Amino acid sequence: MRIVKKVWVVYEARSETEGKVYIGRTQHLRDRKRVHKSWAKHHRGHSHFHQAIRRLGWEDFNWRVIQSGLTKEEAIELENKLIESLSTQQKYNMI
């Protein structure tokens, strides 16, 4: 019997200024936030989200967990569903 760990979360980072959101998934949100901040700061992140962090500042973004206790597959499915439900003008994700 295979044990499936439900340790994934789906999160959003919302810009107060633009109102746009970035949707993501991770097992460790605190660590993931640090990576986003570092990539934006050191210009390693060329995504729309990292560009927005550089332009608007880290403090402009409010972070929240949308859902926790997910398997990796559930997190991927929910993340994609949420991203697809938003128009290009509402999100930083570009997939």
Side-chain angles (χ1 to χ4, degrees), residues 5 10 13-14 23 37-38 46 50 59 61 69 74-75 87:
K5 293 184 178 182
V10 173
R14 181 176 297 272
I23 305 290
K37 188 175 187 177
S38 175
H46 299 290
H50 296 126
E59 297 76 24
F61 290 87
E74 290 169 337
S87 72

Side-chain angles (χ1 to χ4, degrees), residues 57-71:
W58 180 254
E59 297 76 24
D60 191 64
F61 290 87
N62 294 312
W63 298 75
R64 76 174 182 98
V65 171
I66 296 170
Q67 190 168 344
S68 61
L70 302 169
T71 65

Side-chain angles (χ1 to χ4, degrees), residues 29-44:
L29 184 56
R30 184 176 10 182
D31 295 339
R32 187 67 182 121
K33 286 170 66 174
R34 264 185 273 184
V35 169
H36 281 304
K37 188 175 187 177
S38 175
W39 283 6
K41 182 178 180 181
H42 300 290
H43 301 278
R44 284 182 267 185

